[in-house]
Amino acid sequence: MKLIFMGTPDFASANLKAIYDAGHEILAAVSQPDKPVGRHAELKPTAVKAMAMELGIPVLQPEKASDPAFIEEIKRLSPDVIVVTAYGRILKKELLDIPKYGCINVHASLLPRWRGAAPIQWSVIAGDKEVGVTAMQMNEGLDTGDILMVKKFTPAADETGGSLFDKLSILGGELIVDVLKELTAGKLTATPQGEEGASYASQLTKEMGNVDWTLDPETIERLIRGLYPWPGAYTFYNGKQLKLHKAALCDEAAAEHAGNAGAGSTEPGSVHVHDGRLFVNCGSGCLELLEVQLEGKKRMAAADFLRGNKLSGILKKER
């Protein structure tokens, strides 16, 4: 099948490689323009562009997907279908209507749950019991098209935004290959999404990681996992930022110790050290910090961190 692939980040590049390995004719890969990175603001190719160049696929990088010259180029290429994965732009009807089979999007959630920009991380933050990828027939809405196929699984108890990203990128590649096979055979059936259970996954910000210790420990622990590795969760201790890389819910003995550690010590954010372990009181119960990183220092296990830091007092949401 002749197709055009549209995508930008690592997640999309894995899908591009899967389609290429399946033997489809990829007429072009479309990605957002390169962006300057680093101190010297050097232009860095997107992950999809880098993959396309490695595979010998022509690359198009329009400033806007609605650019008339770009639309004309897509018409000239005359693809049977356009596959879209994390491209980062909403496509207009003029582009959606070009291919014989329209545009098919691979989205990293079980639609209609978590439409939008950051479905993977929000799935972890919310504690979803099922996660997966959805292939849909694109329309002009934001992830609202008819569902063509779904692949799903139960996430691990310690799933992070990063680990789930890796798993779903592989699963997304398997999904789109299956979809294209069924499309070629004329066996695909589209099912309208509906609005029941719909939710929106807003873009992540660094401010989201500033932990509010008045929340319950389950919510905070999921936040730490969901925002790992980016943008990351953090708190402040004596005016310095303390990054929270890994945490766990307190076992019964630890919770009892944290609750009986002294007058006033149950205040949310209060720190307790016991048997070389680091605990923090939350709005209800406590959380054990397993891996932390103090501002200006390297990441380390809590036990190693405590050997060089006499931690006590209150962790705060500041700045």
Side-chain angles (χ1 to χ4, degrees), residues 59-124:
V59 177
L60 302 175
Q61 292 181 282
E63 287 290 337
K64 294 182 178 180
S66 58
D67 181 85
F70 172 69
I71 298 292
E72 287 304 312
E73 178 63 10
I74 299 302
K75 289 180 179 179
R76 184 190 70 79
L77 290 170
S78 188
D80 295 320
V81 66
I82 294 177
V83 175
V84 184
T85 304
Y87 177 57
R89 297 282 190 273
I90 294 179
L91 306 185
K92 301 296 185 181
K93 189 175 187 300
E94 185 179 9
L95 182 59
L96 297 174
D97 288 345
I98 293 174
K100 175 183 177 181
Y101 296 107
C103 297
I104 295 176
N105 176 249
V106 177
H107 186 74
S109 80
L110 301 177
L111 290 171
R113 185 162 175 79
W114 302 127
R115 296 168 177 166
I120 297 173
Q121 294 86 349
W122 279 106
S123 293
V124 177

Side-chain angles (χ1 to χ4, degrees), residues 104-105 107 109-113 115 133-139 143-151 175 179 188-194 196:
I104 295 176
N105 176 249
H107 186 74
S109 80
L110 301 177
L111 290 171
R113 185 162 175 79
R115 296 168 177 166
V133 285
T134 303
M136 67 174 174
Q137 191 78 51
M138 293 181 69
N139 58 22
D143 301 325
T144 56
D146 292 349
I147 294 173
L148 301 173
M149 192 179 294
V150 171
K151 287 184 181 290
L175 175 70
V179 167
L188 274 184
T189 301
T191 304
Q193 280 193 44
E196 184 177 353

Side-chain angles (χ1 to χ4, degrees), residues 8-216:
T8 299
D10 289 335
F11 185 90
S13 67
N15 286 201
L16 174 61
K17 182 63 163 56
I19 294 170
Y20 177 86
D21 289 343
H24 293 283
E25 183 182 353
I26 305 174
L27 304 172
V30 182
S31 191
Q32 290 193 35
D34 300 341
K35 294 183 178 180
V37 297
R39 182 181 302 176
H40 301 292
E42 296 180 359
L43 288 178
K44 181 181 179 181
T46 69
V48 163
K49 179 180 180 179
M51 178 62 72
M53 293 173 66
E54 180 181 328
L55 299 175
I57 300 169
V59 177
L60 302 175
Q61 292 181 282
E63 287 290 337
K64 294 182 178 180
S66 58
D67 181 85
F70 172 69
I71 298 292
E72 287 304 312
E73 178 63 10
I74 299 302
K75 289 180 179 179
R76 184 190 70 79
L77 290 170
S78 188
D80 295 320
V81 66
I82 294 177
V83 175
V84 184
T85 304
Y87 177 57
R89 297 282 190 273
I90 294 179
L91 306 185
K92 301 296 185 181
K93 189 175 187 300
E94 185 179 9
L95 182 59
L96 297 174
D97 288 345
I98 293 174
K100 175 183 177 181
Y101 296 107
C103 297
I104 295 176
N105 176 249
V106 177
H107 186 74
S109 80
L110 301 177
L111 290 171
R113 185 162 175 79
W114 302 127
R115 296 168 177 166
I120 297 173
Q121 294 86 349
W122 279 106
S123 293
V124 177
I125 293 170
D128 288 357
K129 301 303 181 185
E130 274 193 325
V131 296
V133 285
T134 303
M136 67 174 174
Q137 191 78 51
M138 293 181 69
N139 58 22
E140 291 183 89
L142 179 61
D143 301 325
T144 56
D146 292 349
I147 294 173
L148 301 173
M149 192 179 294
V150 171
K151 287 184 181 290
K152 57 186 176 180
F153 64 94
T154 301
D158 61 350
E159 205 79 72
T160 67
S163 66
L164 187 56
F165 180 99
D166 293 341
K167 292 176 183 178
L168 292 181
S169 66
I170 294 171
L171 194 63
E174 296 173 359
L175 175 70
I176 190 56
V177 169
D178 287 350
V179 167
L180 293 175
K181 182 178 179 180
E182 294 294 293
L183 184 64
T184 303
K187 296 180 179 179
L188 274 184
T189 301
T191 304
Q193 280 193 44
E195 292 300 313
E196 184 177 353
S199 57
Y200 178 69
S202 60
Q203 288 188 338
L204 303 179
T205 65
K206 290 185 178 181
E207 290 72 26
M208 284 177 58
N210 197 351
V211 172
D212 178 0
W213 295 105
T214 65
L215 298 174
D216 62 83

Side-chain angles (χ1 to χ4, degrees), residues 268-290:
S270 57
V271 175
H272 305 284
V273 177
H274 182 64
D275 289 340
R277 297 165 66 185
L278 177 56
F279 304 99
V280 186
N281 271 315
C282 306
S284 60
C286 74
L287 195 68
E288 181 176 3
L289 302 184
L290 301 177

Side-chain angles (χ1 to χ4, degrees), residues 212-289:
D212 178 0
W213 295 105
T214 65
L215 298 174
D216 62 83
E218 292 83 4
T219 297
I220 298 173
E221 191 269 341
R222 292 197 306 265
L223 180 73
I224 292 171
R225 286 192 287 113
L227 297 183
Y228 181 84
W230 192 91
Y234 58 92
T235 189
F236 290 92
Y237 179 71
N238 288 340
K240 288 188 175 183
Q241 187 184 85
L242 182 69
K243 293 182 179 179
L244 311 174
H245 292 293
K246 190 174 183 181
L249 300 178
C250 290
D251 54 37
E252 187 175 344
E256 183 178 356
H257 170 78
N260 296 321
S265 64
T266 57
E267 179 181 350
S270 57
V271 175
H272 305 284
V273 177
H274 182 64
D275 289 340
R277 297 165 66 185
L278 177 56
F279 304 99
V280 186
N281 271 315
C282 306
S284 60
C286 74
L287 195 68
E288 181 176 3
L289 302 184

